[in-house]
Amino acid sequence: MNPFNILALSGGGYKGLFSARVLSCLEKEFGCPIAKKFDLIAGTSIGGIIAIALALEIPAKEIESLFIEKGNIIFKKRHLWSKGILFNSKYNNSGLKDTLTILFEDKTIGDLKHRIIIPTINYTEGKTQLFKTPHCSELCKDKNTKLIDVAMATSAAPTYFPIYHSTLGDFVDGGLVANHPGYFATIEAQKYLNQDVQNIHQLHIGTISQKFISSSSNCILTSSFLSWGAKLISLIFSCQENTTHFFLKYVLGNRYYSIDAETSDEQAKKIKLDAVSEKSKDLLMQKAESAVQKFMGTENFKFLKNYSALDFDSNCNDI
């Protein structure tokens, strides 16, 4: 069988600028829409939004520009006098939804040109849900789902954004179960696309690795759930990502590569899920370009450069 190539995009809020810049650099290098290099694209939260845009063949450079131009609109803090500010999410989701409306218009999953899976949590039913393109005959139920609803559902990060309420149900950020969606993508390729694990290759693009560890201070060791706040969400995202990374390295071996970067303690203060400062932007861009340069010297890069994905037939009979 021919190789089967997966792109997995992690969640991470505004740190998704790192992912967008990496993709922009690679797209320029390859001279074609980056989605043409992958048989399946999986994305969670901001990674899910980027995945949808790539599957529409929106240029990665345009996605990168949206971060720079719309970041302050998406992460616009509530006024101090907002009702229930202490018990509401840090941001409302109107800026995000307005941005996605411009980007995706009224398009549906059926309009996508490439296969995707997007994890989220269906809070109405209390379970993980994966939005998917109709890439086999069993997977046609999401075809008419609007892309805006999918993007909003996967990116409703607790404490940062409110639960996303829609006619499909109430949804919470997919990062709670799959901040790195590569595990789900690998299973998807085997179960629904008839791929042997030995043929699967995967490129993961992260959003700057950060460790969240105890300071051993009394205030942390005795802290309540309320005082944990966003730190608990970040810890869950980080640990889930590390677990998936370990699993994929074991299962796929050298057919798995992760483009990511680490930060010093000082840099970590500038790079956060909702940090939209000029310092944050510059650092994310610098880290991305450095990571791409490192990747370009690998066998995984050579494989990707010479690879062309299978055509996607939305009638479910391409494989």
Side-chain angles (χ1 to χ4, degrees):
M1 293 181 68
N2 293 324
F4 187 90
N5 204 19
I6 294 170
L7 175 63
L9 301 170
S10 285
Y14 194 73
K15 295 188 296 175
L17 175 58
F18 172 90
S19 307
R21 182 59 178 171
V22 167
L23 290 162
S24 179
C25 290
L26 291 177
E27 199 164 79
K28 182 178 180 181
E29 184 72 22
F30 299 145
C32 69
I34 194 73
K36 290 182 177 292
K37 296 290 184 179
F38 297 96
D39 301 294
L40 177 64
I41 303 174
T44 301
S45 198
I46 188 59
I49 293 171
I50 295 173
I52 293 169
L54 295 179
L56 285 171
E57 295 189 358
I58 295 173
K61 186 66 178 178
E62 186 176 327
I63 301 170
E64 177 190 326
S65 296
L66 273 175
F67 276 91
I68 296 170
E69 296 168 6
K70 303 293 186 179
N72 286 311
I73 295 174
I74 294 171
F75 293 101
K76 184 178 180 180
K77 290 186 177 180
R78 296 177 184 269
H79 294 292
L80 291 176
W81 45 261
S82 294
K83 184 178 180 181
I85 187 68
L86 290 176
F87 302 99
N88 271 327
S89 58
K90 191 173 182 180
Y91 308 97
N92 65 44
N93 58 13
S94 60
L96 176 59
K97 192 166 188 178
D98 289 346
T99 300
L100 293 175
T101 300
I102 295 170
L103 188 63
F104 300 142
E105 299 174 329
D106 209 32
K107 293 184 174 68
T108 67
I109 285 179
D111 293 314
L112 297 176
K113 301 176 182 179
H114 303 272
R115 302 176 198 86
I116 64 164
I117 61 169
I118 308 292
T120 184
I121 294 176
N122 188 322
Y123 192 35
T124 300
E125 298 186 7
K127 65 180 184 180
T128 302
Q129 181 168 335
L130 301 175
F131 288 107
K132 306 177 184 183
T133 42
H135 41 256
C136 84
S137 57
E138 298 177 48
L139 305 175
C140 294
K141 70 181 182 67
D142 296 331
K143 189 171 184 178
N144 296 319
T145 303
K146 290 186 177 181
L147 297 178
I148 292 172
D149 286 328
V150 177
M152 293 295 291
T154 191
S155 57
T159 74
Y160 290 99
F161 291 110
I163 293 168
Y164 182 61
H165 177 73
S166 72
T167 56
L168 302 173
D170 295 333
F171 293 91
V172 182
D173 198 294
L176 294 175
V177 66
N179 200 57
H180 179 339
Y183 171 82
F184 282 116
T186 301
I187 299 301
E188 186 78 10
Q190 294 175 79
K191 182 175 181 180
Y192 292 106
L193 295 166
N194 304 316
Q195 297 299 314
D196 189 285
V197 71
Q198 297 302 319
N199 295 318
I200 296 174
H201 295 248
Q202 185 174 143
L203 176 66
H204 164 250
I205 302 179
T207 53
I208 307 290
S209 297
Q210 288 180 264
K211 292 181 179 179
F212 297 87
I213 58 177
S214 170
S215 65
S216 295
S217 65
N218 289 333
C219 63
I220 293 294
L221 296 177
T222 60
S223 59
S224 66
F225 180 80
L226 185 61
S227 62
W228 266 97
K231 292 178 183 178
L232 180 59
I233 304 304
S234 296
L235 180 62
I236 292 171
F237 287 178
S238 176
C239 289
Q240 191 285 325
E241 183 143 344
N242 287 335
T243 301
T244 302
H245 182 73
F246 174 82
F247 167 83
L248 292 170
K249 285 292 289 183
Y250 177 76
V251 172
L252 302 181
N254 60 11
R255 300 189 308 281
Y256 171 75
Y257 188 91
S258 179
I259 299 179
D260 208 345
E262 295 184 348
T263 60
S264 66
D265 291 344
E266 191 61 34
Q267 290 173 334
K269 296 175 182 178
K270 302 172 185 176
I271 301 177
K272 297 179 181 179
L273 187 148
D274 58 344
V276 194
S277 67
E278 289 302 317
K279 290 181 179 179
S280 173
K281 292 176 187 177
D282 290 344
L283 194 52
L284 288 167
M285 298 280 273
Q286 291 167 4
K287 291 281 188 181
E289 292 188 21
S290 177
V292 169
Q293 289 300 314
K294 181 181 178 183
F295 176 58
M296 288 174 66
T298 68
E299 290 298 318
N300 301 79
F301 172 79
K302 293 177 184 177
F303 165 78
L304 185 61
K305 188 171 184 179
N306 295 319
Y307 189 78
S308 294
L310 296 168
D311 290 335
F312 170 47
D313 180 356
S314 60
N315 291 321
C316 311
N317 57 11
D318 58 320
I319 289 184

